[in-house]
Amino acid sequence: MKNCKLPDYTNIPEEALQIISETKTVALVGASPKEERPSHQVMKYLLEKGFKVIPVNPGQKEILGQKCYPSISAIPEGEKVDTAVIFRRSDMVLPIVEEALSRGIKNIWLQEGIVNEEAQKLARQKGARIVMNLCFKKVHLAGAS
């Protein structure tokens, strides 16, 4: 596994800021009911900031009062999802990105520490925007200041 360098939040790519400014509904893949987990903390923050968050975790029915789905495909068709925020290991990301793209999600966000070049290439080929190795919450905080 390649060493993942820590992201620079003083120089955030314009694409990342655009995605955040245009996102109202997030499918949060790898959502956790455990308060100490980053995915839980990010989900709680996004809910507090007015985002609609749809947790995706096959082992849970509900997280932070939101109905949880076992996969992106299981989210009802009528539910528009702007961005898939993914909290999974880099080697597990590609099928999730494929699923998000087939669902018509146009923004893919791989959280801090997650990099997958193949997923990035696929997303760009399909006309989607993709951010890797940045925390959605930290970028939102940086952009809000």
Side-chain angles (χ1 to χ4, degrees):
M1 188 168 119
K2 288 191 280 183
N3 285 338
C4 183
K5 84 176 204 205
L6 283 174
D8 175 6
Y9 289 100
T10 61
N11 190 17
I12 296 166
E14 188 59 37
E15 188 174 54
L17 295 170
Q18 283 177 345
I19 289 171
I20 285 187
S21 72
E22 296 168 13
T23 295
K24 293 182 180 20
T25 302
V26 168
L28 200 139
V29 181
S32 174
K34 297 177 181 170
E35 289 182 22
E36 68 275 8
R37 292 279 174 90
S39 63
H40 184 92
Q41 294 162 15
V42 169
M43 181 174 170
K44 186 172 190 257
Y45 171 84
L46 293 176
L47 288 169
E48 289 168 355
K49 294 298 176 184
F51 288 88
K52 179 169 189 177
V53 182
I54 303 167
V56 176
N57 180 327
Q60 302 298 319
K61 297 279 184 240
E62 186 180 284
I63 299 174
L64 289 170
Q66 308 304 304
K67 180 175 173 37
C68 199
Y69 294 91
S71 65
I72 290 174
S73 304
I75 299 169
E77 273 304 311
E79 191 72 70
K80 183 182 182 305
V81 176
D82 302 309
T83 303
V85 176
I86 302 173
F87 282 87
R88 302 293 294 149
R89 287 192 342 239
S90 295
D91 62 343
M92 300 175 80
V93 163
L94 187 58
I96 298 165
V97 170
E98 290 170 339
E99 185 183 22
L101 294 169
S102 70
R103 172 72 164 62
I105 298 172
K106 292 292 183 196
N107 300 309
I108 310 294
W109 192 289
L110 306 184
Q111 275 295 119
E112 197 170 287
I114 305 169
V115 174
N116 185 307
E117 302 297 337
E118 198 177 345
Q120 181 182 45
K121 184 178 172 192
L122 177 67
R124 297 222 190 275
Q125 283 173 346
K126 299 286 185 183
R129 297 185 294 189
I130 183 166
V131 170
M132 299 192 298
N133 191 31
L134 284 176
C135 174
F136 197 93
K137 174 184 173 182
K138 289 178 185 175
V139 172
H140 185 266
L141 280 164
S145 59

Coordinates of all heavy atoms in Angstrom, one line a residue, residues 62-111:
E62 N -30.6 2.1 11.3 CA -30.8 3.5 11.5 C -29.5 4.0 12.1 O -28.9 3.4 13.0 CB -32.0 3.8 12.4 CG -32.3 5.2 12.6 CD -33.5 5.4 13.5 OE1 -34.7 5.2 13.0 OE2 -33.3 5.8 14.6
I63 N -29.1 5.2 11.7 CA -27.9 5.9 12.3 C -28.3 7.4 12.5 O -28.8 8.0 11.6 CB -26.6 5.8 11.5 CG1 -26.2 4.3 11.4 CG2 -25.5 6.5 12.1 CD1 -25.1 4.0 10.5
L64 N -28.1 7.9 13.7 CA -28.5 9.3 14.0 C -29.9 9.7 13.6 O -30.1 10.7 13.1 CB -27.4 10.2 13.4 CG -26.0 10.2 14.1 CD1 -25.0 11.0 13.2 CD2 -26.1 10.8 15.5
G65 N -30.8 8.7 13.8 CA -32.2 9.0 13.4 C -32.5 8.9 11.9 O -33.7 9.1 11.5
Q66 N -31.5 8.5 11.1 CA -31.8 8.5 9.7 C -31.8 7.0 9.2 O -31.0 6.2 9.7 CB -30.6 9.1 8.9 CG -30.3 10.5 9.3 CD -31.5 11.5 9.3 OE1 -32.1 11.6 8.2 NE2 -31.8 12.1 10.4
K67 N -32.8 6.7 8.4 CA -32.9 5.3 7.9 C -31.7 4.9 7.1 O -31.2 5.7 6.3 CB -34.2 5.2 7.0 CG -34.4 3.8 6.4 CD -35.7 3.7 5.6 CE -35.9 2.4 4.9 NZ -35.5 1.2 5.5
C68 N -31.2 3.7 7.4 CA -29.9 3.3 6.8 C -30.2 2.3 5.7 O -31.1 1.4 5.9 CB -29.1 2.6 7.9 SG -27.3 2.5 7.5
Y69 N -29.5 2.3 4.7 CA -29.7 1.4 3.6 C -28.4 0.5 3.4 O -27.3 0.9 3.7 CB -29.9 2.1 2.2 CG -31.2 2.9 2.3 CD1 -31.2 4.2 2.7 CD2 -32.4 2.3 1.9 CE1 -32.4 4.9 2.8 CE2 -33.6 3.0 1.9 CZ -33.6 4.3 2.4 OH -34.8 5.0 2.5
P70 N -28.6 -0.8 3.0 CA -27.5 -1.7 2.8 C -26.5 -1.4 1.7 O -25.4 -1.8 1.7 CB -28.2 -3.1 2.6 CG -29.5 -2.7 2.0 CD -29.9 -1.4 2.6
S71 N -27.0 -0.6 0.7 CA -26.1 -0.3 -0.4 C -26.7 1.0 -1.1 O -27.8 1.4 -0.8 CB -26.1 -1.4 -1.4 OG -27.4 -1.5 -2.0
I72 N -25.9 1.6 -1.9 CA -26.4 2.8 -2.7 C -27.6 2.4 -3.5 O -28.6 3.1 -3.6 CB -25.2 3.4 -3.5 CG1 -24.2 4.1 -2.6 CG2 -25.8 4.4 -4.5 CD1 -23.0 4.6 -3.3
S73 N -27.5 1.2 -4.1 CA -28.6 0.7 -5.0 C -29.9 0.6 -4.3 O -31.0 0.7 -4.9 CB -28.3 -0.6 -5.6 OG -27.0 -0.6 -6.3
A74 N -29.9 0.4 -3.0 CA -31.1 0.2 -2.2 C -31.8 1.5 -1.8 O -32.9 1.5 -1.3 CB -30.7 -0.6 -0.9
I75 N -31.1 2.6 -2.0 CA -31.7 3.9 -1.8 C -32.8 4.1 -2.8 O -32.6 3.9 -4.0 CB -30.7 5.1 -1.9 CG1 -29.6 4.9 -0.8 CG2 -31.4 6.4 -1.7 CD1 -28.4 5.8 -1.0
P76 N -34.0 4.5 -2.3 CA -35.2 4.6 -3.3 C -34.8 5.5 -4.5 O -34.2 6.5 -4.3 CB -36.3 5.2 -2.4 CG -35.9 4.8 -1.0 CD -34.4 4.8 -1.0
E77 N -35.3 5.1 -5.7 CA -35.0 5.8 -6.9 C -35.4 7.3 -6.8 O -34.8 8.1 -7.4 CB -35.7 5.1 -8.1 CG -34.9 4.0 -8.7 CD -33.5 4.5 -9.2 OE1 -33.4 5.5 -9.9 OE2 -32.6 3.8 -8.9
G78 N -36.5 7.5 -6.2 CA -37.0 8.9 -6.1 C -36.2 9.8 -5.2 O -36.4 11.0 -5.2
E79 N -35.2 9.3 -4.5 CA -34.4 10.0 -3.6 C -33.2 10.5 -4.4 O -32.3 9.8 -4.8 CB -33.9 9.1 -2.5 CG -33.2 9.8 -1.4 CD -34.2 10.6 -0.5 OE1 -35.0 10.1 0.2 OE2 -34.1 11.9 -0.6
K80 N -33.1 11.8 -4.7 CA -32.0 12.4 -5.4 C -30.7 12.5 -4.5 O -30.8 13.1 -3.4 CB -32.3 13.8 -6.0 CG -31.2 14.4 -6.9 CD -31.6 15.8 -7.3 CE -30.6 16.4 -8.2 NZ -29.2 16.5 -7.7
V81 N -29.6 11.9 -5.0 CA -28.4 12.0 -4.2 C -27.4 12.8 -5.0 O -27.1 12.5 -6.1 CB -27.8 10.6 -3.9 CG1 -26.5 10.7 -3.2 CG2 -28.8 9.7 -3.1
D82 N -26.9 13.9 -4.4 CA -25.9 14.7 -5.1 C -24.5 14.2 -5.0 O -23.8 14.3 -6.0 CB -25.9 16.1 -4.5 CG -27.3 16.8 -4.5 OD1 -27.9 16.8 -5.6 OD2 -27.8 17.2 -3.4
T83 N -24.1 13.7 -3.9 CA -22.8 13.3 -3.7 C -22.7 12.0 -2.8 O -23.4 11.8 -1.8 CB -22.0 14.4 -2.9 OG1 -22.1 15.6 -3.7 CG2 -20.5 14.0 -2.7
A84 N -21.8 11.0 -3.3 CA -21.5 9.8 -2.5 C -20.2 10.1 -1.7 O -19.2 10.3 -2.4 CB -21.4 8.6 -3.4
V85 N -20.3 10.1 -0.4 CA -19.1 10.3 0.4 C -18.8 8.9 1.0 O -19.6 8.3 1.6 CB -19.4 11.3 1.6 CG1 -18.2 11.4 2.5 CG2 -19.8 12.7 1.1
I86 N -17.6 8.5 0.6 CA -17.2 7.1 0.9 C -16.1 7.0 2.0 O -15.0 7.6 1.9 CB -16.7 6.5 -0.4 CG1 -17.8 6.5 -1.5 CG2 -16.3 5.0 -0.2 CD1 -17.4 6.1 -2.9
F87 N -16.5 6.2 3.0 CA -15.6 5.9 4.1 C -15.3 4.4 4.1 O -15.9 3.6 4.8 CB -16.3 6.2 5.5 CG -16.3 7.6 5.9 CD1 -17.3 8.4 5.5 CD2 -15.3 8.1 6.7 CE1 -17.4 9.8 5.9 CE2 -15.4 9.4 7.1 CZ -16.4 10.3 6.7
R88 N -14.5 3.9 3.1 CA -14.2 2.5 3.0 C -12.7 2.5 2.6 O -12.2 3.5 2.1 CB -15.0 1.8 1.9 CG -16.5 1.9 2.2 CD -17.0 1.1 3.4 NE -16.8 -0.3 3.2 CZ -16.6 -1.1 4.2 NH1 -16.5 -0.7 5.4 NH2 -16.4 -2.4 4.0
R89 N -12.1 1.3 2.8 CA -10.7 1.2 2.5 C -10.5 1.4 0.9 O -11.4 1.1 0.2 CB -10.2 -0.2 2.8 CG -9.9 -0.4 4.3 CD -9.2 -1.7 4.6 NE -9.1 -2.7 3.5 CZ -9.6 -3.9 3.6 NH1 -10.1 -4.3 4.7 NH2 -9.5 -4.7 2.6
S90 N -9.3 2.0 0.6 CA -9.1 2.2 -0.8 C -9.3 1.0 -1.7 O -9.8 1.2 -2.8 CB -7.6 2.7 -1.0 OG -7.4 3.9 -0.3
D91 N -8.9 -0.2 -1.3 CA -9.1 -1.3 -2.1 C -10.5 -1.8 -2.2 O -10.8 -2.7 -3.0 CB -8.2 -2.5 -1.6 CG -8.5 -3.0 -0.2 OD1 -9.2 -2.2 0.5 OD2 -8.1 -4.1 0.1
M92 N -11.4 -1.2 -1.5 CA -12.9 -1.6 -1.5 C -13.7 -0.5 -2.3 O -14.9 -0.7 -2.4 CB -13.4 -1.7 -0.1 CG -12.7 -2.8 0.7 SD -13.2 -2.9 2.4 CE -14.7 -3.8 2.2
V93 N -13.1 0.5 -2.8 CA -13.8 1.7 -3.3 C -14.4 1.5 -4.7 O -15.5 1.9 -5.0 CB -12.9 2.9 -3.3 CG1 -13.4 4.0 -4.1 CG2 -12.7 3.4 -1.8
L94 N -13.7 0.8 -5.6 CA -14.1 0.7 -7.0 C -15.5 0.2 -7.2 O -16.3 0.9 -7.9 CB -13.1 -0.1 -7.8 CG -13.3 -0.1 -9.3 CD1 -13.3 1.3 -9.9 CD2 -12.3 -1.0 -10.0
P95 N -15.9 -0.9 -6.6 CA -17.3 -1.3 -6.8 C -18.4 -0.3 -6.2 O -19.4 -0.2 -6.8 CB -17.4 -2.7 -6.0 CG -16.1 -3.0 -5.5 CD -15.2 -1.9 -5.8
I96 N -18.0 0.4 -5.2 CA -18.9 1.4 -4.6 C -19.0 2.6 -5.6 O -20.1 3.1 -5.8 CB -18.4 1.9 -3.2 CG1 -18.4 0.7 -2.2 CG2 -19.3 3.0 -2.7 CD1 -17.6 1.0 -1.0
V97 N -17.9 3.0 -6.2 CA -18.0 4.0 -7.2 C -18.8 3.6 -8.4 O -19.6 4.4 -8.9 CB -16.5 4.5 -7.6 CG1 -16.5 5.4 -8.8 CG2 -15.8 5.1 -6.4
E98 N -18.6 2.4 -8.9 CA -19.4 1.8 -10.0 C -20.8 1.9 -9.7 O -21.7 2.3 -10.5 CB -18.9 0.4 -10.3 CG -17.6 0.3 -10.9 CD -17.0 -1.1 -11.0 OE1 -17.5 -2.0 -10.3 OE2 -16.1 -1.3 -11.8
E99 N -21.2 1.5 -8.5 CA -22.6 1.5 -8.0 C -23.2 2.9 -8.0 O -24.3 3.2 -8.5 CB -22.7 0.8 -6.6 CG -24.1 0.7 -6.2 CD -24.2 0.1 -4.8 OE1 -23.2 0.2 -4.0 OE2 -25.3 -0.4 -4.4
A100 N -22.4 3.9 -7.5 CA -22.8 5.3 -7.4 C -23.0 5.8 -8.8 O -24.0 6.5 -9.0 CB -21.8 6.1 -6.6
L101 N -22.1 5.5 -9.7 CA -22.2 6.0 -11.1 C -23.4 5.4 -11.8 O -24.2 6.1 -12.5 CB -20.9 5.7 -11.8 CG -19.7 6.5 -11.4 CD1 -18.4 5.9 -12.0 CD2 -19.8 8.0 -11.6
S102 N -23.7 4.1 -11.6 CA -24.8 3.5 -12.2 C -26.1 4.1 -11.6 O -27.2 4.0 -12.3 CB -24.8 2.0 -12.1 OG -25.0 1.6 -10.7
R103 N -26.1 4.6 -10.4 CA -27.3 5.2 -9.8 C -27.5 6.6 -10.2 O -28.4 7.3 -9.9 CB -27.1 5.1 -8.2 CG -28.0 5.9 -7.3 CD -29.4 5.2 -7.3 NE -30.2 5.6 -6.2 CZ -30.7 6.8 -6.0 NH1 -30.3 7.8 -6.8 NH2 -31.5 7.1 -5.0
G104 N -26.5 7.1 -11.0 CA -26.6 8.5 -11.5 C -26.0 9.6 -10.6 O -26.2 10.8 -10.9
I105 N -25.2 9.2 -9.6 CA -24.6 10.2 -8.7 C -23.4 10.8 -9.5 O -22.6 10.1 -10.0 CB -24.2 9.5 -7.4 CG1 -25.4 9.0 -6.7 CG2 -23.4 10.5 -6.5 CD1 -25.2 8.1 -5.5
K106 N -23.4 12.1 -9.5 CA -22.4 12.8 -10.3 C -21.2 13.3 -9.5 O -20.2 13.8 -10.1 CB -23.0 14.0 -11.0 CG -24.0 13.6 -12.1 CD -23.3 12.9 -13.2 CE -24.3 12.5 -14.4 NZ -23.7 11.6 -15.3
N107 N -21.2 13.2 -8.2 CA -20.1 13.6 -7.4 C -19.7 12.4 -6.5 O -20.5 11.9 -5.7 CB -20.5 14.8 -6.5 CG -20.9 16.0 -7.3 OD1 -20.2 16.4 -8.2 ND2 -22.0 16.6 -7.0
I108 N -18.4 12.1 -6.5 CA -17.9 11.0 -5.7 C -16.8 11.6 -4.8 O -15.9 12.4 -5.3 CB -17.2 9.9 -6.6 CG1 -18.1 9.5 -7.7 CG2 -16.7 8.8 -5.7 CD1 -19.4 8.7 -7.3
W109 N -16.9 11.4 -3.5 CA -15.9 11.9 -2.6 C -15.3 10.8 -1.7 O -16.0 10.1 -1.0 CB -16.7 12.9 -1.6 CG -15.8 13.8 -0.8 CD1 -15.0 13.4 0.2 CD2 -15.6 15.2 -1.0 NE1 -14.3 14.4 0.7 CE2 -14.6 15.6 0.0 CE3 -16.1 16.1 -1.8 CZ2 -14.2 16.9 0.1 CZ3 -15.7 17.4 -1.7 CH2 -14.7 17.8 -0.7
L110 N -14.0 10.6 -1.9 CA -13.3 9.6 -1.1 C -12.6 10.3 0.0 O -11.8 11.3 -0.1 CB -12.2 8.9 -2.0 CG -12.7 8.3 -3.3 CD1 -11.5 7.5 -4.0 CD2 -13.9 7.4 -3.0
Q111 N -13.0 10.0 1.2 CA -12.6 10.7 2.4 C -11.1 10.6 2.6 O -10.3 9.9 2.0 CB -13.3 10.0 3.7 CG -14.6 10.6 3.9 CD -14.6 12.0 4.3 OE1 -15.2 12.9 3.6 NE2 -14.0 12.4 5.4

